[in-house]
Amino acid sequence: MKNLSETKFALSYINKYGSLMAQGNGYLGLRASHEEDYPGQVRGMYLAGVYNRPAGSESAELVNLPDIAGMRIELDGQLFSLQMGKIVEYERHLALGSGLLTRRIIWRDPRGRLFELIFERVVGKTRGTLIGSRVSIKSLDQAVGAVVTTGIDGQQTNFGTQQLVEEKLHVAAGDFMVGHYETIESDRKIVIAAKVAPGGVITAKNRQIKSQVTLDLEPGQAATLEKIAVVCSDLDIEATNMEIGRSFQQKDDSSEAVFATLESGALAKLADRDFDWLKQEVAQEWTQFWGTGRVMLESKEATANIDQLALDFASYHLEIMTPKNDPRMSVGAKGLTGEGYKGHVFWDTEIFIMPYFLHHSPETAKNMLLYRYHHLQEAKEKAQKYGYSGALFPWESAFSGREETPEFAAINIRTGKRQRIASALAEHHIVADIAYAVWSYFQATQDQAFMGKYGRALLRETAEFWLSRAVRRDGRYQILDVIGPDEYTEHVDNNAYTNYLAAFNVRQAMRFNQDETDFCHRGADFLAKLYLPAAGSDGIVPQDDTFLTKPQIDLAKYKQAQGKQGILLDYSRAEVIDMQILKQADLVMLFYLLPQLFSADIVAQNLSFYEERTIHDSSLSKAIHAIVACRSGDVATAYRFFQEACLIDLGGDPHSSDDGIHAAAAGAIWLSAVFGFAGVDTTGVRLRFAPRLPAAWQKMSFHFWWQNEKLHIELKQGSIKFSKSSTTELEIEVNGKLLKLTGEAVEERI
Ligand code: BGC
C-alpha cells in the first residue's frame, strides 16, 4: 500500500499536512505537527466528546488538549529547526498500511555540521490511547552533545481560547510525568501521563512538565530517545458502565477519586510498554482493518495514480475519525484532525460518513444513530422552542445534543457587519437526513430489535416534526422558509430536497408505527396533500419556489477556484442568495438518495442544468455529482468529478485542510466508487448493482456487508464476480437480472 508522502519541507504546507497525516482511533486524534516548533504551526490533540463552551460563547468547542508531540532538540546549544541551516534531504511518510508516521532529515546546521534525524510516531488503536514517539539522531561528522526536552505542554489553546484548568502536575512511580486537567465549563477530566527513555531531569513550570535528556552523539552512531504517553478522560470510565437512557452527565464521584482512577489506569496501561511494542501492535491492528476496509483498484493508466491513494486515504481517515461504540459521541465535520467547525457534528455524519460503516461494521453505524436517539430530548426541546412538535435536531451538535451553530459568520462585504448564520433556524433537512439514515440502517441490517427500541421512535419524532412544520396554503401542505442542502440559497419555500425527504421520512415512520392510528391518519393526510415539486414542461424540477425566477451570472471564475468561497468576496451573501447560484449539490443530492423518484431523462437533464449553476464550494458536492453522472451513464464526466473530489484534501492547495480534513468528503470518495462506479443501490427490496467502471480502471474490488452477509465484489470491464461469507441464499440484481448467491462464487457478464 502506498504511503501518504511529503517530499519537501515548506512552512506554507505545515498545517495542511498536520491534518492529512493525523493519526488516531476514533476516540483520540493527533495532528501531525512537527516535533520542533514553527511559526504558525497548529499543534492539536483531541478526544471525541471532550468539548468546552468558553465563557461568552454560544457554542461548545472540541478542546485542544495539552501537547505531547513537541520536542526541543539542541545540538551543542544549536537549536534544531529547518528554518535554519540547510535541508540536505527531507521525506515524511504516513504509512496508511501500518499507521506509522516517519520523517527523515539530513540537516546541515548553521555551523556546517551534518546530522541525520529520524522521527517516528504511532497512535494506539484502542481507547485510553497510547501514543509512542521516537527520535534517532546521528551526527555524521563529529562528536556532539545533544539535549532533547519533551513532556506534556498545557499551553495549548483553541486559537487563543484556554479551555482547560491544570489541576495538578507531578511525577509518579519514579519517572512518569503526569498532568491532571479539567475543562473549564464542561468539567471533563483528563489525565495525560508520559515517560521518556533514557530518562532525564524532570521540571514543571508554566503549565508544562518536561524531561530534559542528554544524549552523547558519537560520529556515525545514532542515539535514540523514546517517549510513550497515554491520554484518558472520565468519558472512558463512564463508558464501562454505560446504558442508553441513563443520564451520561451524572457524576457521582469526587474529582479527586476520578483523577485517581484515571491516573492509576493510565500508569497501568504504560507499564512495560515501549515504542517497538506499540508500533507492532498498531501495525497488526491496521493490517486487520485493511483486510476488509479497502477498495482495491487495478489500473495501468498514470492518470489513475491518485485514485487508489485517495480511496486508501478516505478509508484511513474514516477509521480514525469514528468512535466505534460510545453513543455519547459522533463524528465532527473535520473528524479529530483539527478545530474546523469547532468539532461539531452535521448531517455529514449520517449521509456521507455512516454508509461506509453501515457496509463494513454495522455496529459502528448503529452507534451514530444511537447518538441521535440519545439526544431526542434536546431535539424535542428545540422543536418546542420554535413552536413545532416532534424532534428538530440541531444543525450543529456536540456533546450536549443542543444546538451549537455559531450565531455569526463572515463579515458582509457591503455593510461591514457580521452576517448571521441561518442554518440553525432553517436548515431543517437534517431531521429527514437522520430519518433516512435510520431507514438505510434497517435496509442494510434488518435489525428489528434496533427499530423496536430506537429506530421507530426516531422515525416517529422526526415525522411529527414535519407534520407540524408544514403549513396549509392553496389547499396543499407546503414547507416554507427553509434552507436546503445548497447553502447559497436561503429562506426559500418548498425546497424540493426538503419536501421529498420529509415525505419519505413520514412514509417510513408510518411503516414502523402502524399501531399508532392517529399518527398514521395524520401522516396519510400529509402525504396526500404535501406539495412535491415536479418537472416543468422544460423538464426542470424547480429547486424551490423562486430559484428559477432569479438571475443567472457567469460562474466560470468561481468554479475554477471551487472550494474557496471566492464569490463571497465579490458579492454579499444576500446578493448570492438572490441569484441562481448553488454552493453544492441540492436536487442532485435528492437524485442520489432516492434514485427511483425521477426518470433517467429528467435526472440527466437536471444534473446538467444545476451543475452549470453549482460552484462546488462545499466539499460535499463533487462526489455526489460523480455518482449521479455515473448512474446517468456519463462515466467520463463521473470520473472527472470523482478525481476532482479526490483532490479536495490531497490536491496542491496549501491551505485546503489547515483546520482539519473534510470528513464528509472522505466518506463521499468511498461512496462515489461503490455507489457510483460499482453501481450499488440499497434502496430496493434487493441489493442492486449497475456497474460502470471508468475506462482507466481494469479492476475494482471491495467488501460490502449486507443483511448479515459479508460480500466480496470483484468488478472488471465486462464482468462482476460475487462471493460471500455464508451459504445462505441471497438474492441480488445485476442490471435488472436476478442472481441467487450461495456459498459459491458467481460471475456475471455485464
Ligand atoms: C456545507 C454543509 C456541511 C458543512 C460541514 C458547509 O460548508 O455547506 O453542507 O454540512 O459545511 O461540512
Side-chain angles (χ1 to χ4, degrees):
M1 186 180 290
K2 261 194 168 175
N3 294 335
L4 184 61
S5 299
E6 184 195 40
T7 49
K8 202 169 142 241
F9 173 79
L11 267 189
S12 52
Y13 279 87
I14 210 161
N15 286 324
K16 174 172 176 134
Y17 278 103
S19 304
L20 264 51
M21 294 188 166
Q23 296 161 291
N25 53 34
Y27 295 101
L28 176 140
L30 176 63
R31 284 174 66 77
S33 41
H34 292 302
E35 283 71 8
E36 67 281 10
D37 284 333
Y38 291 102
Q41 170 168 260
V42 179
R43 299 186 172 282
M45 182 164 78
Y46 314 96
L47 280 175
V50 175
Y51 293 88
N52 186 62
R53 195 181 309 273
S57 167
E58 73 276 22
S59 47
E61 300 178 6
L62 185 67
V63 173
N64 192 356
L65 297 172
D67 177 65
I68 51 165
M71 288 187 184
R72 182 183 166 87
I73 300 174
E74 285 172 81
L75 302 157
D76 278 343
Q78 169 64 55
L79 184 69
F80 166 66
S81 165
L82 298 176
Q83 285 192 292
M84 293 182 273
K86 186 170 182 328
I87 303 168
V88 181
E89 288 175 28
Y90 178 94
E91 55 182 319
R92 183 155 68 139
H93 305 286
L94 173 65
L96 298 170
S98 65
L100 182 69
L101 180 67
T102 48
R103 183 165 61 123
R104 181 179 164 275
I105 301 153
I106 306 249
W107 182 60
R108 192 173 293 286
D109 82 349
R111 298 183 207 167
R113 301 172 304 176
L114 206 58
F115 296 93
E116 181 189 60
L117 296 103
I118 298 174
F119 297 91
E120 294 168 281
R121 197 183 297 164
V122 70
V123 173
K125 268 189 113 274
T126 48
R127 191 167 184 176
T129 310
L130 290 179
I131 299 169
S133 51
R134 176 157 72 189
V135 55
S136 144
I137 314 173
K138 199 192 278 183
S139 167
L140 296 175
D141 39 30
Q142 54 187 276
V144 171
V147 177
V148 182
T149 311
T150 185
I152 308 167
D153 177 1
Q155 291 185 6
Q156 298 311 304
T157 63
N158 285 67
F159 295 110
T161 301
Q162 182 80 35
Q163 311 274 17
L164 294 158
V165 171
E166 173 195 290
E167 290 290 333
K168 182 166 156 188
L169 290 181
H170 73 135
V171 179
D175 50 2
F176 289 95
M177 296 173 272
V178 182
H180 294 184
Y181 306 92
E182 188 159 349
T183 55
I184 293 170
E185 171 269 344
S186 58
D187 297 336
R188 289 259 79 94
K189 293 172 186 58
I190 296 124
V191 166
I192 304 179
K195 175 180 162 164
V196 291
V201 179
I202 300 177
T203 55
K205 199 178 167 188
N206 300 339
R207 296 204 301 278
Q208 297 173 318
I209 182 163
K210 299 188 242 181
S211 179
Q212 184 171 309
V213 183
T214 305
L215 301 170
D216 292 323
L217 307 184
E218 290 305 323
Q221 281 177 29
T224 297
L225 177 128
E226 273 189 31
K227 179 175 179 183
I228 186 141
V230 63
V231 184
C232 314
S233 83
D234 55 350
L235 284 171
D236 303 335
I237 306 179
E238 292 169 16
T240 54
N241 59 358
M242 193 175 53
E243 274 173 43
I244 286 289
R246 171 188 153 196
S247 164
F248 296 128
Q249 323 276 347
Q250 106 195 9
K251 293 186 179 122
D252 309 329
D253 298 334
S254 71
S255 288
E256 292 91 280
V258 173
F259 277 121
T261 310
L262 283 174
E263 179 172 324
S264 60
L267 296 181
K269 283 199 104 186
L270 282 181
D272 303 328
R273 296 303 183 210
D274 64 10
F275 181 81
D276 276 326
W277 176 86
L278 185 61
K279 179 173 151 179
Q280 207 181 348
E281 179 85 358
V282 171
Q284 268 171 18
E285 280 163 339
W286 276 107
T287 306
Q288 207 180 344
F289 166 78
W290 287 115
T292 51
R294 192 171 188 215
V295 175
M296 299 243 281
L297 301 181
E298 273 178 30
S299 170
K300 294 193 193 79
E301 308 290 330
T303 48
N305 278 349
I306 186 76
D307 303 352
Q308 181 70 66
L309 179 66
L311 282 160
D312 290 345
F313 172 81
S315 299
Y316 170 87
H317 271 286
L318 287 161
E319 174 67 5
I320 69 165
M321 72 176 71
T322 307
K324 307 297 180 293
N325 59 4
D326 189 334
R328 292 168 300 174
M329 49 195 80
S330 187
V331 186
K334 306 282 180 181
L336 296 167
T337 64
E339 285 152 52
Y341 289 118
K342 302 179 195 290
H344 294 169
V345 182
F346 295 70
W347 70 312
D348 305 31
T349 308
E350 284 77 12
I351 298 295
F352 293 83
I353 296 163
M354 195 184 108
Y356 175 86
F357 292 98
L358 189 49
H359 303 297
H360 282 99
S361 114
E363 282 297 309
T364 306
K366 178 161 129 189
N367 192 62
M368 293 173 179
L369 299 175
L370 291 178
Y371 167 79
R372 296 299 188 180
Y373 176 83
H374 170 54
H375 289 303
L376 256 179
Q377 187 50 37
E378 289 80 12
K380 285 189 193 174
E381 284 164 16
K382 183 177 172 191
Q384 264 170 27
K385 180 175 166 193
Y386 293 98
Y388 304 122
S389 309
L392 171 51
F393 281 99
W395 175 243
E396 298 183 26
S397 77
F399 190 77
S400 70
R402 293 196 299 273
E403 182 59 75
E404 303 282 0
T405 306
E407 215 178 328
F408 293 104
I411 301 269
N412 181 319
I413 56 156
R414 307 269 181 243
T415 64
K417 291 198 177 126
R418 287 194 84 184
Q419 302 170 98
R420 277 185 189 279
I421 302 182
S423 299
L425 302 175
E427 205 159 346
H428 291 163
H429 65 83
I430 188 166
V431 173
D433 301 329
I434 291 168
Y436 181 94
V438 170
W439 165 80
S440 61
Y441 174 80
F442 183 72
Q443 282 286 100
T445 61
Q446 300 290 302
D447 184 347
Q448 299 281 2
F450 171 87
M451 290 312 283
K453 254 173 127 174
Y454 314 113
R456 177 181 146 105
L458 277 166
L459 289 173
R460 167 76 197 269
E461 295 300 340
T462 47
E464 286 287 4
F465 167 73
W466 293 116
L467 300 190
S468 68
R469 180 67 174 79
V471 293
R472 206 56 200 262
R473 200 168 72 170
D474 305 332
R476 294 181 301 196
Y477 287 117
Q478 304 197 27
I479 304 180
L480 309 181
D481 192 12
V482 294
I483 303 176
D486 162 28
E487 291 188 344
Y488 284 170
T489 306
E490 287 184 359
H491 298 299
V492 288
D493 297 340
N494 297 312
N495 166 258
Y497 176 94
T498 307
N499 285 24
Y500 277 100
L501 271 236
F504 184 82
N505 186 162
V506 171
R507 193 169 300 114
Q508 294 306 326
M510 288 163 66
R511 174 181 162 202
F512 286 95
N513 288 275
Q514 281 169 11
D515 49 340
E516 306 270 346
T517 42
D518 168 61
F519 167 69
C520 289
H521 181 72
R522 288 183 291 119
D525 176 57
F526 175 84
L527 291 179
K529 300 195 187 109
L530 178 67
Y531 166 55
L532 293 170
S537 52
D538 55 357
I540 300 305
V541 180
Q543 179 171 310
D544 57 64
D545 283 358
T546 47
F547 185 86
L548 298 177
T549 64
K550 293 176 179 174
Q552 207 192 339
I553 58 162
D554 180 9
L555 292 178
K557 169 180 159 193
Y558 307 108
K559 274 164 109 58
Q560 254 162 27
Q562 56 195 245
K564 295 210 172 67
Q565 311 205 350
I567 192 145
L568 296 176
L569 301 178
D570 290 348
Y571 297 92
S572 71
R573 188 168 269 274
E575 288 165 331
V576 170
I577 287 165
D578 276 334
M579 295 187 282
Q580 286 191 10
I581 302 175
L582 283 80
K583 180 180 179 187
Q584 63 204 96
D586 194 290
L587 204 69
V588 173
M589 206 56 226
L590 176 64
F591 297 154
Y592 157 61
L593 290 179
L594 298 174
Q596 315 299 332
L597 270 187
F598 297 94
S599 72
D601 286 350
I602 294 287
V603 169
Q605 206 180 331
N606 281 274
L607 175 66
S608 132
F609 178 88
Y610 282 102
E611 203 283 325
E612 196 189 316
R613 291 154 176 80
T614 305
I615 302 182
H616 302 290
D617 265 347
S618 157
S619 67
L620 280 56
S621 193
K622 273 282 157 91
I624 302 302
H625 277 75
I627 299 174
V628 177
C630 193
R631 286 179 182 163
S632 301
D634 187 354
V635 188
T637 303
Y639 186 54
R640 180 171 59 75
F641 282 138
F642 167 77
Q643 287 209 307
E644 288 174 13
C646 290
L647 296 180
I648 286 169
D649 285 305
L650 292 175
D653 176 350
H655 300 294
S656 62
S657 318
D658 282 359
D659 60 2
I661 64 122
H662 298 80
I669 289 174
W670 180 82
L671 287 175
S672 48
V674 171
F675 285 72
F677 302 124
V680 170
D681 177 0
T682 55
T683 62
V685 187
R686 295 191 194 94
L687 183 61
R688 290 188 286 235
F689 292 81
R692 289 189 176 97
L693 271 199
W697 296 356
Q698 274 81 56
K699 189 168 147 190
M700 164 181 173
S701 55
F702 59 98
H703 288 85
F704 193 89
W705 269 238
W706 179 253
Q707 300 186 355
N708 289 322
E709 290 282 2
K710 293 177 198 166
L711 301 178
H712 182 255
I713 295 135
E714 199 179 286
L715 201 59
K716 291 186 187 152
Q717 299 286 356
S719 72
I720 185 163
K721 189 168 154 190
F722 300 92
S723 45
K724 68 178 190 64
S725 51
S726 86
T727 51
T728 327
E729 187 176 281
L730 175 73
E731 292 190 348
I732 60 162
E733 280 174 40
V734 174
N735 291 332
K737 179 177 168 191
L738 180 68
L739 291 187
K740 293 185 183 198
L741 304 183
T742 51
E744 305 287 306
V746 173
E747 188 160 2
E748 178 70 15
R749 305 291 317 155
I750 48 171

